[in-house]
Amino acid sequence: QVQLVESGGGLVQPGGSLRLSCAASIFIWTMGWYRQAPGKQRELVATRTSGGRTNYADSVKGRFTISRDNAKNTVYLQMNSLKPEDTAVYHCLAQYGGLDYWGQGTQVTVSS
């Protein structure tokens, strides 16, 4: 069983920054972030393998950066130049043993 603990959401003004963290209870090869806005389906934000391969949604390229601390089994999402359309619940993803494990979600609200 994989346990994920997320932190770092909150309220920020447009153009601002936030950093999300997700710590896993064990080593995970692929970790990442998805988000779900009200009335919309969950969508990919970014993923990163422990080897450094990354994948970003087009909507966040150049603004968001995903990074890993493999020693801490932790993935980070640095979000810059935030826009109101980035408002969503952000969920951490860990892929392990052929299964997807999800964090409880952290709210990110971008509003003036």
Side-chain angles (χ1 to χ4, degrees):
Q1 186 73 14
V2 177
Q3 295 183 345
L4 302 172
V5 178
E6 302 166 347
S7 62
L11 172 65
V12 65
Q13 292 186 342
S17 298
L18 281 175
R19 188 193 194 207
L20 306 183
S21 300
C22 175
S25 55
I26 60 173
F27 174 78
I28 303 293
W29 179 254
T30 299
M31 295 184 72
W33 295 91
Y34 278 65
R35 66 187 181 187
Q36 188 165 18
K40 295 186 177 181
Q41 291 188 334
R42 189 172 295 188
E43 63 176 5
L44 167 74
V45 177
T47 60
R48 185 181 178 111
T49 69
S50 61
R53 179 179 296 180
T54 58
N55 184 34
Y56 290 94
D58 288 343
S59 59
V60 307
K61 285 181 180 177
R63 301 188 297 122
F64 291 10
T65 302
I66 188 168
S67 60
R68 295 273 302 258
D69 184 335
N70 292 328
K72 296 182 179 179
N73 297 331
T74 299
V75 64
Y76 304 96
L77 185 68
Q78 178 66 43
M79 304 185 292
N80 298 329
S81 302
L82 282 160
K83 303 175 181 180
E85 51 263 44
D86 294 317
T87 295
V89 177
Y90 284 68
H91 295 271
C92 178
L93 165 70
Q95 296 180 325
Y96 181 77
L99 298 177
D100 291 342
Y101 294 86
W102 296 96
Q104 78 280 6
T106 184
Q107 177 70 45
V108 172
T109 302
V110 185
S111 175
S112 55

